[in-house]
Amino acid sequence: MNRRDPSTRNLIAAAVVVTAVAAVLELLVRRDPDASLLVALTFFTMIVQGCVALVATAELAKGIWFIPIKRELLGVYPLLLVSAALSLALGAKTGIYPWSEHQNGWLNTGFFVIRNFVVLVASYLGAHKLAGAIRTQSPNKNRWAGLYIALYIVSQSFIAFDWIMTLEYPWVSTLLGGFFFVESVLMALAVAAFVLFFRMRTAGHGLTETLRDTAKMMFGFSVMWVGFFFAQFLVIWYGNIPEEVGFVLTRFNEPPWAGLSRAVLFLVWVIPFAVLLSRPLKTVPAAMAAVAGLILSGLFIEKLVLVLPAAKVSPGALAFETLLLLGLLAFFLASADRLLPQQVAGTETEAARRHS
Amino acid sequence: MIDRYAYDTREEFLGKLKELVESGVPKRSINTFTPYAVHEAEELLDHSQSPVRFFTGAGAVTGCIAGFAFTIYTVLSWPLVTGGKEVVSVNAFIVIAYELTILFGGLTAFVGFLHLSRLPVFKNVLSDRAEFSRKFEIAVDRGGRK
């Protein structure tokens, strides 16, 4: 990443402006504790971390399917700094958490903010090193990929346990961290399908095999997502312990959460499962973009279902901040060639050769 | 009678295969043995999508239905109320139905694969079994195998 390049400076400026606007909005304009930023930031951070994790995993597995979209997926890694900066703003919103009135050694505002900030910055540094190693084709790139994946797992677990689960403190689910990082990879695959959709509109059908592979991965992770969901649901349902089952009852039996929970299941698993079974549809960019859109919408609604029964949000602020962050993500995805130029692009030839 | 051709390289193998196909040898009578998948050979021999998926699908659906039928039938025949749950608790039965879906799907896929591949084959179709791991081999059944 060349900071002197004007287009790179535009990217940095956009990231700074978006961070500043969201922070000012949350810290100065809307001072009441609500969960709008939490929902938007969780969704955004999961997508960004998932994109880099997908690249790191594929690098480790010596995958070739992802090479044509590697630049786009890896190019979003600087946005982890935006997540880290905005996580500081969550410190002013800890009033949404039930533990805020009875703070303890682990759950207190200062430590809550610092540990999440440190983990997100560490995850950025890991991603930065990985991007550098891939750019220079360093022999250490697998080591950085492994380190990033470890940081990714820790960071996603913190997002799940700290940011989301403590909204319902003392409700606990030990699987929520794993559920979040599987979900994050599914989000990244959906983003990859979108990237391919836009690239195939201009680049013809040279990316058909990559699209097919992405669709297969989406299918697999969609099934894995529902498996993780059911693994959590079944033990809570079987145990029927009052302190656990309340969380599920609220979200599955009470309107409007009951309807939304079922919608999530349809959007993230039932419909993608039915569509992605079809072999020909896996190579139709518009169909895959539609499935990716359904998955991302479903996972956004899922965040609302997880958060809203426990904390209020302002619909206007939520929509504004989500669109702001997703706009920034789209800007970075569209500018990937500025961030990771020739060296990564050069490997596309290799992918094309092997696919042919 | 089986004619066998063995090659060290994929290019020589593909060249001979193309020559055989172009000379009018029926594709059904050609068998190939390669150390790894060679998609060009599949294309030359017009290997369309394998129908083994229908075996898998039928087995999976049968397994799913059998899983639910088995569990529901047994709890209705001998009701054991556990933890105050309903006698027919679909949530718990999903696990059994899922397992049987995978089991039946896997077994029927295997049986379907054997059937469609005309396996097991008891006569030796390879020129040298020891070379199987690295040679690219073509076997043409001149006896007109069906």
Side-chain angles (χ1 to χ4, degrees):
Chain A
M1 184 173 177
N2 181 6
R3 290 181 183 81
R4 289 181 188 166
D5 179 24
S7 50
T8 308
R9 282 210 298 263
N10 288 345
L11 286 170
I12 296 172
V16 171
V17 168
V18 166
T19 310
V21 168
V24 166
L25 183 69
E26 286 295 326
L27 298 176
L28 300 177
V29 182
R30 304 174 57 253
R31 291 181 155 191
D32 290 345
D34 84 353
S36 307
L37 179 64
L38 177 72
V39 174
L41 192 58
T42 302
F43 189 65
F44 172 75
T45 308
M46 288 179 76
I47 293 178
V48 174
Q49 284 198 327
C51 287
V52 185
L54 196 56
V55 173
T57 316
E59 276 291 339
L60 273 180
K62 298 187 174 17
I64 56 163
W65 67 272
F66 79 112
I67 288 175
I69 47 171
K70 182 157 73 169
R71 277 192 306 175
E72 281 84 354
L73 295 181
L74 191 58
V76 299
Y77 83 85
L79 295 176
L80 286 172
L81 275 183
V82 174
S83 293
L86 286 176
S87 77
L88 294 173
L90 288 180
K93 304 286 175 182
T94 51
I96 59 175
Y97 293 100
W99 50 262
S100 63
E101 291 172 8
H102 310 283
Q103 303 202 7
N104 53 42
W106 179 259
L107 292 174
N108 65 76
T109 303
F111 190 32
F112 174 87
V113 171
I114 289 169
R115 66 174 175 261
N116 282 293
F117 178 73
V118 168
V119 167
L120 284 169
V121 169
S123 140
Y124 163 76
L125 291 174
H128 179 69
K129 285 288 185 186
L130 173 64
I134 288 175
R135 193 164 45 219
T136 57
Q137 287 299 307
S138 158
N140 288 331
K141 67 178 178 180
N142 280 359
R143 198 172 297 167
W144 289 116
L147 179 71
Y148 175 78
I149 290 170
L151 288 166
Y152 162 74
I153 289 170
V154 172
S155 180
Q156 283 298 312
S157 301
F158 269 88
I159 289 174
F161 295 141
D162 262 2
W163 287 5
I164 303 297
M165 200 169 78
T166 62
L167 282 167
E168 290 273 8
Y169 180 77
W171 179 79
V172 288
S173 164
T174 47
L175 198 59
L176 202 67
F179 184 62
F180 264 53
F181 64 74
V182 164
E183 204 170 82
S184 170
V185 174
L186 179 57
M187 287 176 174
L189 288 164
V191 168
F194 268 120
V195 168
L196 285 166
F197 169 69
F198 285 109
R199 284 199 39 198
M200 288 175 82
R201 284 173 69 182
T202 51
H205 295 284
L207 297 166
T208 305
E209 282 308 309
T210 306
L211 182 67
R212 191 200 302 275
D213 292 337
T214 306
K216 286 178 189 168
M217 295 277 285
M218 271 204 291
F219 179 85
F221 272 87
S222 170
V223 173
M224 195 172 176
W225 175 86
V226 82
F228 270 55
F229 160 77
F230 190 70
Q232 287 181 105
F233 173 77
L234 188 68
V235 285
I236 294 172
W237 174 82
Y238 242 128
N240 206 16
I241 303 169
E243 58 264 33
E244 282 185 356
V245 84
F247 182 90
V248 174
L249 276 178
T250 308
R251 287 159 180 80
F252 280 87
N253 284 9
E254 291 177 14
W257 317 121
L260 286 175
S261 298
R262 282 156 183 77
V264 171
L265 209 57
F266 269 85
L267 291 170
V268 183
W269 180 58
V270 178
I271 300 173
F273 185 89
V275 175
L276 293 172
L277 272 180
S278 158
R279 194 181 164 103
L281 277 180
K282 286 196 193 83
T283 54
V284 178
M288 289 307 100
V291 170
L294 290 180
I295 288 176
L296 286 174
S297 315
L299 293 176
F300 185 74
I301 296 170
E302 185 230 36
K303 297 288 160 295
L304 295 176
V305 172
L306 286 175
V307 171
L308 288 192
K312 69 180 176 69
V313 300
S314 154
L318 175 65
F320 177 73
E321 284 164 1
T322 305
L323 290 175
L324 198 64
L325 290 171
L326 291 184
L328 183 64
L329 176 72
F331 186 37
F332 268 68
L333 284 170
S335 311
D337 54 334
R338 308 278 178 227
L339 288 159
L340 298 166
Q342 303 84 358
Q343 291 90 339
V344 176
T347 54
E348 285 187 27
T349 320
E350 170 72 2
R353 189 181 66 76
R354 297 187 75 166
H355 268 311
S356 70
Chain B
M1 177 196 157
I2 296 175
D3 290 342
R4 299 187 181 90
Y5 310 91
Y7 301 96
D8 288 322
T9 66
R10 160 195 162 107
E11 286 70 26
E12 286 174 293
F13 158 78
L14 283 172
K16 181 64 184 177
L17 188 61
K18 196 172 177 186
E19 184 189 313
L20 285 170
V21 171
E22 285 173 355
S23 68
V25 175
K27 291 174 182 175
R28 292 278 297 163
S29 67
I30 301 176
N31 274 317
T32 59
F33 306 92
T34 55
Y36 53 85
V38 180
H39 297 302
E40 291 89 338
E42 290 172 18
E43 284 163 20
L44 279 171
L45 296 174
D46 289 341
H47 281 185
S48 54
Q49 203 175 358
S50 166
V52 77
R53 64 191 192 281
F54 296 116
F55 286 83
T56 317
V61 171
T62 309
C64 185
I65 294 169
F68 279 117
F70 171 65
T71 45
I72 292 170
Y73 171 72
T74 49
V75 294
L76 289 178
S77 303
W78 191 268
L80 283 175
V81 179
T82 308
K85 301 281 194 297
E86 291 169 354
V87 173
V88 177
S89 290
V90 173
N91 286 338
F93 300 163
I94 286 175
V95 179
I96 313 296
Y98 173 75
E99 299 287 354
L100 287 192
T101 303
I102 305 296
L103 178 67
F104 280 37
L107 289 176
T108 50
F110 182 60
V111 171
F113 162 75
L114 289 179
H115 170 69
L116 295 167
S117 308
R118 289 166 281 159
L119 290 171
V121 174
F122 297 104
K123 61 181 176 181
N124 185 18
V125 290
L126 292 170
S127 55
D128 182 354
R129 285 176 188 275
E131 296 284 357
F132 183 44
S133 61
R134 65 180 185 86
K135 289 272 188 187
F136 296 84
E137 201 165 318
I138 302 169
V140 183
D141 192 337
R142 300 288 184 188
R145 277 177 81 191
K146 290 179 182 174

